[in-house]
Amino acid sequence: MHPFSALLWLPGLWLCLVRTDDHGVLRVFGAIFVVSLGVFLLTRGKPYYLAPAYPPLFAVGALACERWLTRAWRRAAFLARSLQVWDWRSSPCR
């Protein structure tokens, strides 16, 4: 699992476990992930054994990011930061 994918599944796990105001059903996904992670860590399981547990967290993480980006100023800041990271001079399309 690539480290940058944590930018999507960690907010998903947070939304599943902490924010249950209107998403009580999502708590099950977070609980399954935490229990599975604990079991795999205790039994020294391979990292790829937990791979099927990530797609629901990616989906919920996308929901969390979409909710966070609902305000216009946050979208503008995200876009500005994304463009700042991408260096125009090093573009292969020149």
Side-chain angles (χ1 to χ4, degrees), residues 21 23-24 37 41 59 75:
D21 48 350
H23 298 290
L37 179 65
L41 287 176
R75 272 190 303 240

Side-chain angles (χ1 to χ4, degrees), residues 33-54:
F33 181 80
V34 170
V35 168
S36 300
L37 179 65
V39 167
F40 289 135
L41 287 176
L42 289 174
T43 61
R44 296 184 189 183
K46 303 288 183 192
Y48 57 84
Y49 291 169
L50 200 57
Y54 284 105

Side-chain angles (χ1 to χ4, degrees), residues 10-21 23 26-27 60-61 63-64 67:
L10 281 176
L13 185 62
W14 174 79
L15 185 67
C16 285
L17 295 177
V18 178
R19 297 278 315 249
T20 59
D21 48 350
H23 298 290
L26 297 179
R27 187 180 293 253
V60 177
L63 178 65
R67 286 185 172 189

Side-chain angles (χ1 to χ4, degrees), residues 44-79:
R44 296 184 189 183
K46 303 288 183 192
Y48 57 84
Y49 291 169
L50 200 57
Y54 284 105
L57 292 180
F58 287 148
V60 177
L63 178 65
C65 291
E66 186 267 335
R67 286 185 172 189
W68 186 77
L69 290 173
T70 54
R71 299 212 184 256
W73 68 270
R74 288 181 183 165
R75 272 190 303 240
F78 180 75
L79 180 62

Side-chain angles (χ1 to χ4, degrees), residues 78-92:
F78 180 75
L79 180 62
R81 182 66 182 149
S82 298
L83 292 176
Q84 182 182 6
V85 168
W86 187 61
D87 187 16
W88 294 92
R89 292 170 290 170
S90 65
S91 174

